[in-house]
Coordinates of all heavy atoms in Angstrom, one line a residue:
Chain Q
Y209 N 34.8 23.4 -7.4 CA 34.0 22.5 -8.1 C 33.6 21.2 -7.3 O 32.9 20.4 -7.7 CB 34.6 22.0 -9.5 CG 34.4 23.1 -10.6 CD1 35.5 23.5 -11.3 CD2 33.2 23.5 -10.9 CE1 35.4 24.5 -12.3 CE2 33.0 24.5 -11.9 CZ 34.1 25.0 -12.6 OH 33.9 25.9 -13.5
D210 N 34.2 21.2 -6.1 CA 33.7 20.2 -5.1 C 32.4 20.7 -4.4 O 31.8 19.9 -3.7 CB 34.7 20.0 -4.0 CG 35.9 19.1 -4.5 OD1 35.7 17.9 -4.7 OD2 37.0 19.7 -4.6
C211 N 32.0 21.9 -4.7 CA 30.9 22.5 -3.9 C 29.7 22.8 -4.9 O 29.9 23.2 -6.0 CB 31.3 23.9 -3.3 SG 32.8 23.8 -2.3
C212 N 28.5 22.6 -4.4 CA 27.3 23.0 -5.2 C 27.3 24.5 -5.3 O 27.9 25.2 -4.4 CB 26.1 22.4 -4.5 SG 25.6 23.2 -3.0
P213 N 26.6 25.0 -6.3 CA 26.6 26.5 -6.4 C 25.5 27.1 -5.6 O 24.6 26.4 -5.0 CB 26.2 26.6 -7.9 CG 25.4 25.4 -8.2 CD 26.0 24.3 -7.4
F214 N 25.5 28.4 -5.4 CA 24.4 29.2 -4.9 C 23.4 29.2 -6.1 O 23.8 29.4 -7.2 CB 24.8 30.6 -4.6 CG 25.6 30.7 -3.3 CD1 26.7 31.5 -3.2 CD2 25.2 30.0 -2.2 CE1 27.4 31.6 -2.1 CE2 25.9 30.1 -1.0 CZ 27.1 30.9 -0.9
S215 N 22.1 28.9 -5.8 CA 21.1 28.8 -6.9 C 19.8 29.5 -6.5 O 19.4 29.6 -5.3 CB 20.8 27.3 -7.1 OG 22.0 26.5 -7.2
D216 N 19.1 29.9 -7.5 CA 17.7 30.3 -7.4 C 16.9 29.2 -8.1 O 17.3 28.6 -9.1 CB 17.4 31.6 -8.1 CG 18.3 32.7 -7.6 OD1 18.8 32.7 -6.5 OD2 18.5 33.7 -8.5
G217 N 15.7 28.9 -7.6 CA 14.8 27.9 -8.3 C 13.6 27.5 -7.4 O 13.5 27.9 -6.2
A218 N 12.8 26.7 -8.0 CA 11.6 26.2 -7.4 C 11.2 24.9 -7.9 O 11.6 24.5 -9.0 CB 10.4 27.2 -7.6
S219 N 10.5 24.1 -7.1 CA 10.0 22.8 -7.5 C 8.7 22.5 -6.8 O 8.4 23.1 -5.8 CB 11.1 21.7 -7.1 OG 11.3 21.7 -5.7
A220 N 7.9 21.6 -7.4 CA 6.6 21.2 -6.8 C 6.2 19.9 -7.2 O 6.5 19.4 -8.3 CB 5.6 22.3 -7.2
I221 N 5.5 19.2 -6.3 CA 4.8 17.9 -6.7 C 3.4 17.9 -6.2 O 3.1 18.6 -5.2 CB 5.6 16.7 -6.1 CG1 5.7 16.8 -4.5 CG2 6.9 16.5 -6.7 CD1 6.3 15.6 -3.9
L222 N 2.5 17.2 -6.8 CA 1.1 17.1 -6.4 C 0.9 15.7 -5.8 O 1.2 14.7 -6.6 CB 0.1 17.4 -7.5 CG -1.3 17.6 -7.1 CD1 -1.5 18.8 -6.3 CD2 -2.2 17.6 -8.4
L223 N 0.5 15.6 -4.6 CA 0.3 14.4 -3.9 C -1.2 14.1 -3.7 O -1.9 14.9 -3.3 CB 1.0 14.4 -2.5 CG 2.5 14.5 -2.5 CD1 3.0 14.5 -1.0 CD2 3.1 13.2 -3.2
V224 N -1.5 12.8 -3.9 CA -2.9 12.3 -3.6 C -2.8 10.9 -3.0 O -1.7 10.3 -3.0 CB -3.8 12.3 -4.9 CG1 -3.8 13.7 -5.6 CG2 -3.2 11.3 -5.9
S225 N -3.9 10.4 -2.6 CA -3.9 9.0 -2.1 C -3.7 8.0 -3.3 O -4.0 8.3 -4.4 CB -5.2 8.7 -1.4 OG -6.3 8.7 -2.4
E226 N -3.2 6.9 -2.9 CA -3.0 5.8 -3.9 C -4.2 5.5 -4.7 O -4.2 5.4 -6.0 CB -2.5 4.5 -3.2 CG -2.2 3.4 -4.2 CD -1.8 2.1 -3.4 OE1 -2.3 1.9 -2.3 OE2 -1.1 1.4 -4.0
D227 N -5.4 5.5 -4.1 CA -6.6 5.1 -4.8 C -7.1 6.2 -5.7 O -7.7 5.9 -6.8 CB -7.7 4.9 -3.7 CG -7.5 3.6 -2.9 OD1 -6.7 2.8 -3.4 OD2 -8.1 3.5 -1.8
A228 N -6.8 7.5 -5.4 CA -7.2 8.6 -6.2 C -6.3 8.8 -7.4 O -6.7 9.5 -8.4 CB -7.3 9.9 -5.4
A229 N -5.1 8.2 -7.4 CA -4.1 8.6 -8.3 C -4.5 8.3 -9.8 O -4.1 9.0 -10.7 CB -2.8 7.9 -8.0
D230 N -5.2 7.2 -10.0 CA -5.5 6.8 -11.4 C -6.5 7.8 -12.1 O -6.7 7.7 -13.3 CB -6.1 5.4 -11.4 CG -5.1 4.4 -11.2 OD1 -3.9 4.6 -11.6 OD2 -5.4 3.3 -10.6
S231 N -7.1 8.7 -11.3 CA -8.1 9.6 -12.0 C -7.4 10.9 -12.5 O -8.1 11.7 -13.1 CB -9.1 10.0 -10.9 OG -8.6 10.7 -9.9
Y232 N -6.1 10.9 -12.5 CA -5.4 12.1 -13.0 C -4.8 11.7 -14.4 O -4.7 10.6 -14.8 CB -4.3 12.6 -12.0 CG -5.0 13.2 -10.8 CD1 -5.4 12.4 -9.7 CD2 -5.3 14.5 -10.7 CE1 -6.0 12.9 -8.6 CE2 -5.9 15.1 -9.6 CZ -6.3 14.2 -8.6 OH -7.0 14.8 -7.5
D233 N -4.3 12.8 -15.1 CA -3.9 12.6 -16.5 C -2.5 11.9 -16.6 O -2.2 11.2 -17.6 CB -3.7 14.0 -17.2 CG -5.0 14.7 -17.3 OD1 -6.1 14.0 -17.1 OD2 -5.0 15.9 -17.7

Side-chain angles (χ1 to χ4, degrees):
Chain Q
Y209 283 125
D210 285 290
C211 306
C212 69
F214 289 137
S215 313
D216 306 332
S219 62
I221 56 174
L222 190 67
L223 290 179
V224 302
S225 68
E226 180 182 31
D227 292 341
D230 284 331
S231 63
Y232 292 86
D233 293 351

